[in-house]
């Protein structure tokens, strides 16, 4: 354990204020013999001084590219576009195993440099349960934003806030609202239901039993819907373009907490671009109106609460960092994705080579015909 060197990187996304390791847990790691280097970050919810006081080393933002080879780089969201070859082990949400946009390019960078992605989404218990997740706060904020938008009180651009202020805004206005939470029994679904409760809304709650044979007419009869289902196997979509064109549709506000855009497993293949803090809602149908909220870093709007909870869950895993157990499963999943990518590219190359040979043969045959 004394040889572990963690390198907490600065997040390049300007709206990302969360951190996977808070100062209190950084102190626990340092006291356990871990070397922890923390990059300066003007937007991180905790100041760099708090990490210094916890015994961490300080480095400039983006300096992980020249970190010692054995260092494990820890972050949350996407990496910058460079360098082209990634030589370190990286812990973050890579979104690279389900053919999402940019997934193949990211895996190629790891293959080029010999590094590895330890995707936090796949840091799981023996039974597949995730060990560290932002799900609760993603669901909470997704439902909160959906309610505020539906009531016409959502202000843009969005800004990080406190739970107390957000709850006060949710509770400031009451009224009848038919709301549906899909995936209601999971972390995100539970967060969504709690936020709706603060807003005075008693939602319809659907989970596996209700989605096996989905009642689309019942779904469309709700005014507001929050989707928290992120599936790892193909299932019928919850909504299609044909559903949105139903003239009797009452659904007016849709929040997709999962933002699984571009994935063939997406349960809401009705949009292809997420929304953001500047433009949190986008109209995807005019008659009748339907607005979409699909922000892929919702918990960063409550960066303090989200970071503290996540760090507490990640800390035991970092204290047991190694090649086996959950981290071993992460590494196995990475290698599996890389093998699949290489096999696919080899197959594509073979198809292209055969096509080129066929084209050359056809040209040669045409030449012979002209000679005759």
């Amino acid at each position: 354990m004394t040889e572990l060197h963690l390198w907490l990187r600065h997040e390049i996304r300007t709206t990302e204020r969360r951190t996977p390791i808070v100062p209190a847990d950084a102190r626990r790691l340092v006291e356990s013999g871990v070397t922890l280097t923390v990059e300066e970050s003007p937007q991180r919810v905790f100041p760099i001084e708090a990490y210094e006081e916890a015994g961490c080393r300080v480095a400039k933002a983006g300096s992980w590219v020249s970190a010692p080879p054995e260092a494990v780089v820890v972050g949350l969201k996407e990496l910058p576009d460079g360098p082209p070859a990634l030589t370190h082990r990286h812990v973050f949400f890579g979104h690279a195993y389900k053919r999402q946009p940019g997934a193949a390019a990211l895996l190629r960078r790891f293959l080029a440099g010999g590094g590895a992605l330890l995707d936090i989404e796949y840091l799981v218990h023996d039974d597949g349960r995730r060990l560290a997740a932002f799900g609760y706060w993603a669901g909470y904020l997704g439902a909160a934003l959906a309610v505020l938008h539906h009531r016409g009180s959502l202000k843009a651009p969005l800004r990080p806030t406190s739970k107390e202020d957000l709850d006060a805004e949710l509770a400031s206005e009451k009224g009848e609202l038919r709301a549906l939470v899909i995936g209601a029994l999971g972390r995100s679904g539970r967060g969504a239901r709690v936020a709706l409760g603060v807003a005075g809304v008693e939602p319809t709650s659907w989970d596996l039993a209700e989605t096996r044979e989905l009642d689309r007419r019942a779904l469309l009869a709700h005014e507001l819907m929050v989707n928290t289902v992120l599936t790892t196997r193909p299932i019928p979509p919850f909504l299609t373009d044909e559903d949105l064109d139903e003239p009797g549709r009452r659904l007016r506000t849709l929040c997709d907490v999962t933002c699984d855009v571009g994935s063939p497993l997406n349960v809401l293949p009705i949009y292809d671009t997420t929304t953001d803090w500047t433009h949190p809602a986008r109209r995807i149908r005019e008659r009748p109106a339907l607005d979409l909220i699909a922000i892929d870093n919702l918990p960063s709007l409550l960066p303090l609460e989200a970071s503290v909870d996540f760090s507490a869950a990640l800390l035991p895993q970092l204290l047991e960092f190694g090649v086996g157990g959950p981290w071993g499963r992460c590494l196995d999943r990475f290698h599996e994705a890389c093998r699949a990518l290489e096999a696919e590219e080899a197959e594509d190359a073979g198809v292209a080579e055969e096509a080129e040979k066929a084209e050359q043969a056809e040209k040669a045959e045409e030449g012979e015909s002209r000679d005759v």
Side-chain angles (χ1 to χ4, degrees), residues 209-271:
E210 293 81 9
T211 54
R212 284 195 183 97
E213 295 184 8
L214 192 71
D215 187 340
R216 295 180 183 277
R217 182 171 295 180
L219 186 157
L220 295 171
H222 292 84
E223 300 166 88
L224 182 151
M225 171 181 149
V226 181
N227 173 56
T228 68
V229 174
L230 183 67
T231 183
T232 56
R233 59 183 179 81
I235 63 173
F238 297 156
L239 282 173
T240 65
D241 288 327
E242 290 75 15
D243 295 325
L244 302 191
D245 292 331
E246 282 289 328
R249 168 175 54 81
R250 295 188 62 191
L251 187 65
R252 298 291 184 270
T253 303
L254 168 63
C255 179
D256 185 14
V257 172
T258 64
C259 295
D260 204 17
V261 178
S263 166
L265 304 180
N266 187 7
V267 297
L268 292 177
I270 55 174
Y271 71 99

Side-chain angles (χ1 to χ4, degrees), residues 97-346:
Y97 299 158
K98 294 189 292 182
R99 298 188 176 182
Q100 297 98 322
L106 177 62
L107 291 176
R108 288 191 201 100
R109 292 171 67 189
F110 279 109
L111 288 169
L117 167 61
L118 302 174
D119 196 314
I120 302 173
E121 185 177 341
Y122 296 86
L123 184 67
V124 297
H125 196 270
D126 294 339
D127 60 6
R129 176 174 45 88
R130 288 175 62 178
L131 293 169
F134 286 100
Y136 177 87
W137 293 110
Y140 195 99
L141 281 152
L145 296 186
V147 168
L148 294 176
H149 178 73
H150 195 84
R151 292 173 175 172
S153 56
L154 184 63
K155 301 178 182 65
L158 302 178
R159 300 187 185 282
T161 185
S162 67
K163 184 175 181 296
E164 292 74 17
D165 289 345
L166 179 60
D167 287 354
E169 192 172 2
L170 285 174
S172 64
E173 183 182 338
K174 303 292 183 180
E176 291 295 324
L177 176 58
R178 293 198 65 187
L180 169 66
V181 177
I182 300 186
L185 300 184
R187 283 191 184 100
S188 294
R190 182 162 47 89
R193 288 186 288 118
V194 171
L196 288 167
V198 174
V201 177
E202 182 63 37
T204 302
S205 298
W206 288 1
D207 209 84
L208 287 175
E210 293 81 9
T211 54
R212 284 195 183 97
E213 295 184 8
L214 192 71
D215 187 340
R216 295 180 183 277
R217 182 171 295 180
L219 186 157
L220 295 171
H222 292 84
E223 300 166 88
L224 182 151
M225 171 181 149
V226 181
N227 173 56
T228 68
V229 174
L230 183 67
T231 183
T232 56
R233 59 183 179 81
I235 63 173
F238 297 156
L239 282 173
T240 65
D241 288 327
E242 290 75 15
D243 295 325
L244 302 191
D245 292 331
E246 282 289 328
R249 168 175 54 81
R250 295 188 62 191
L251 187 65
R252 298 291 184 270
T253 303
L254 168 63
C255 179
D256 185 14
V257 172
T258 64
C259 295
D260 204 17
V261 178
S263 166
L265 304 180
N266 187 7
V267 297
L268 292 177
I270 55 174
Y271 71 99
D272 56 9
T273 306
T274 57
T275 62
D276 54 38
W277 289 24
T278 303
H279 303 289
R282 181 173 71 250
R283 182 147 298 182
I284 58 175
R285 283 295 187 279
E286 289 291 344
R287 296 180 182 177
L290 176 60
D291 292 338
L292 167 76
I293 297 174
I295 299 171
D296 65 359
N297 65 334
L298 283 167
S300 197
L301 290 164
L302 287 179
L304 179 61
E305 294 86 351
S307 295
V308 169
D309 282 0
F310 184 85
S311 180
L314 185 62
L315 175 64
Q317 309 310 318
L318 293 176
L319 289 171
E320 297 295 328
F321 188 87
V323 296
W327 294 110
R329 285 189 284 274
C330 275
L331 189 60
D332 289 343
R333 186 65 185 84
F334 166 72
H335 288 313
E336 178 186 334
C338 288
R339 287 193 297 270
L341 176 65
E342 290 177 316
E344 182 178 331
E345 292 184 340

